[in-house]
Amino acid sequence: MGENLFRIPVGHWVETVLDWITANFEAFFDVVKLVFQNFNDSLVWILTEPPFWVIILVLAVLAWLARSWKLGVGTIVGLLFIYGMNQWQNSMETLALVLVASVIAVVISVPLGILTAKSRVVSTIVKPILDFLQTMPAFVYLIPAILLLGIGAVPGIVATIVFSLAPGTRFTELGIRNVNTEVLEAGQAFGASPGRILRQIQIPLALPTIMAGINQVIMLSLSMVVIAGMVGAGGLGAAVYKALTTLNTPLGVESGLSVVVLAIILDRITASLGQSNASSRNAS
């Protein structure tokens, strides 16, 4: 094969930028690493320190309040299944990582979605960035994360946040934009300020769509656990990666099934919260 007619060294440009960021913002990333690590460690302690049955009961009650007693019973059965496969510790570490990444992603994506709904200029700028984040292979996010934050749970959390930002932003923008204009005009006619209209009309009416976006953020976060496990994040991702590298079929099946059970529980709970908000709005 012949040589290319020309070469665009994009990779070297990016490497130069990352080297410059690492040299000039080391203190900032040390603070980010400390905050994220402490956040994750605290959640891991909360989920693993009490007896397993306490955590199961708490999650079952949450599922029951969110939807029904049937979901509560299903949550108990699913979590006991995880415990019986000896994947409880790994599952709680994974749940902590997912919750940390999801909370931070929601805190970023929901306000960003509101901003993009309010400004077409911002929407025009943000949408290509979101397209880029959704189409870039997830493994690529790990390279700058490792360079800036080292090995461990934190680069996995950061890569998960970046990977899961897009649906939260898109669904929030969609929900805000789809609020009935007649309702907005009624609020303006009564002299409500734009901030009050946003807080008391647009966000409540868009909440089911926003919750659907949050549901997708959590699901995408769970899909990143294996990749996060490759950089030392621990949990089920590390177990799946170990099973893959050692061809350990029992470990791979058990850790994989644990991810599936966690995904089903989190999906049903968050989806039910969105549906309950929609039902209460329709009833009122």
Side-chain angles (χ1 to χ4, degrees):
M1 296 180 64
E3 295 184 358
N4 288 355
L5 295 177
F6 61 92
R7 173 77 164 88
I8 304 175
V10 177
H12 293 293
W13 295 342
V14 173
E15 183 182 26
T16 302
V17 171
L18 287 175
D19 289 341
W20 181 85
I21 292 175
T22 303
N24 291 275
F25 294 93
E26 184 178 0
F28 169 75
F29 287 107
D30 286 342
V31 173
V32 171
K33 183 176 181 179
L34 180 64
V35 172
F36 282 17
Q37 188 67 58
N38 287 336
F39 191 5
N40 184 70
D41 290 346
S42 299
L43 267 180
V44 170
W45 183 86
I46 291 171
L47 292 171
T48 58
E49 188 65 20
F52 76 96
W53 55 267
V54 173
I55 302 300
I56 290 178
L57 287 179
V58 170
L59 293 177
V61 170
L62 179 61
W64 173 46
L65 294 176
R67 186 168 184 175
S68 67
W69 65 268
K70 294 180 181 179
L71 182 58
V73 172
T75 299
I76 293 174
V77 173
L79 294 177
L80 284 175
F81 181 59
I82 290 176
Y83 181 82
M85 292 189 297
N86 197 30
Q87 293 298 322
W88 182 258
Q89 179 74 25
N90 287 337
S91 296
M92 293 303 101
E93 290 178 5
T94 293
L95 181 59
L97 186 147
V98 169
L99 291 177
V100 170
S102 298
V103 167
I104 297 172
V106 168
V107 168
I108 296 172
S109 63
V110 171
L112 183 60
I114 294 173
L115 186 60
T116 55
K118 293 290 186 180
S119 171
R120 293 196 177 276
V121 174
V122 175
S123 179
T124 302
I125 296 172
V126 168
K127 281 184 177 179
I129 298 175
L130 297 180
D131 292 337
F132 172 82
L133 294 179
Q134 284 189 296
T135 53
M136 176 67 70
F139 284 95
V140 178
Y141 297 134
L142 294 177
I143 299 173
I146 293 173
L147 288 174
L148 298 173
L149 299 166
I151 299 295
V154 176
I157 291 172
V158 171
T160 302
I161 292 169
V162 173
F163 185 68
S164 60
L165 274 176
T169 303
R170 292 187 189 278
F171 275 76
T172 300
E173 179 184 8
L174 178 65
I176 297 294
R177 286 191 185 276
N178 285 346
V179 173
N180 196 314
T181 55
E182 294 181 358
V183 178
L184 300 180
E185 291 170 357
Q188 294 167 353
F190 281 101
S193 65
R196 188 173 181 182
I197 290 175
L198 176 64
R199 292 192 307 271
Q200 299 184 357
I201 298 177
Q202 289 179 297
I203 291 180
L205 291 177
L207 197 56
T209 306
I210 294 174
M211 286 302 302
I214 293 174
N215 173 272
Q216 290 303 303
V217 168
I218 295 174
M219 292 300 101
L220 285 179
S221 297
L222 262 174
S223 71
M224 283 287 288
V225 297
V226 176
I227 297 175
M230 295 176 60
V231 295
L236 294 171
V240 172
Y241 181 64
K242 180 181 178 181
L244 178 64
T245 55
T246 60
L247 297 180
N248 188 333
T249 301
L251 179 61
V253 171
E254 291 170 356
S255 54
L257 286 175
S258 298
V259 173
V260 172
V261 171
L262 282 181
I264 292 173
I265 292 173
L266 292 174
D267 175 66
R268 297 298 185 270
I269 290 176
T270 53
S272 298
L273 289 174
Q275 291 170 3
S276 63
N277 277 297
S279 300
S280 61
R281 290 289 166 188
N282 292 333
S284 60

